[in-house]
Amino acid sequence: MSAADRQRTCAACGSPFAPRERTGLEAVIDGEVLYVAVHPWHSTHPPRRETEAARRLTTTGPA
């Protein structure tokens, strides 16, 4: 049984997986290594600082 079948929802956003939907798999270390399923392009890991800074610059207007 796949992680997506066991979980039924994305570990990052909580939305349900569609039947036969392609998913990503991430390792989470919480005392032991666990694998969680996520939608493509979603992540349980925080964004890189550079990516987050660029996103903020594009979403905020001029001061």
Side-chain angles (χ1 to χ4, degrees), residues 43 45-56:
S43 178
H45 304 290
R48 294 183 56 187
R49 289 186 342 197
E50 296 85 3
T51 304
E52 182 62 17
R55 185 192 65 77
R56 287 183 184 180

Side-chain angles (χ1 to χ4, degrees), residues 2-16:
S2 72
D5 289 338
R6 285 193 307 273
Q7 279 177 228
R8 297 191 181 135
T9 59
C10 177
C13 73
S15 297

Side-chain angles (χ1 to χ4, degrees), residues 29-45:
I29 300 172
D30 185 25
E32 60 183 90
V33 177
L34 306 171
Y35 292 94
V36 296
V38 293
H39 286 115
W41 307 108
H42 286 189
S43 178
T44 59
H45 304 290

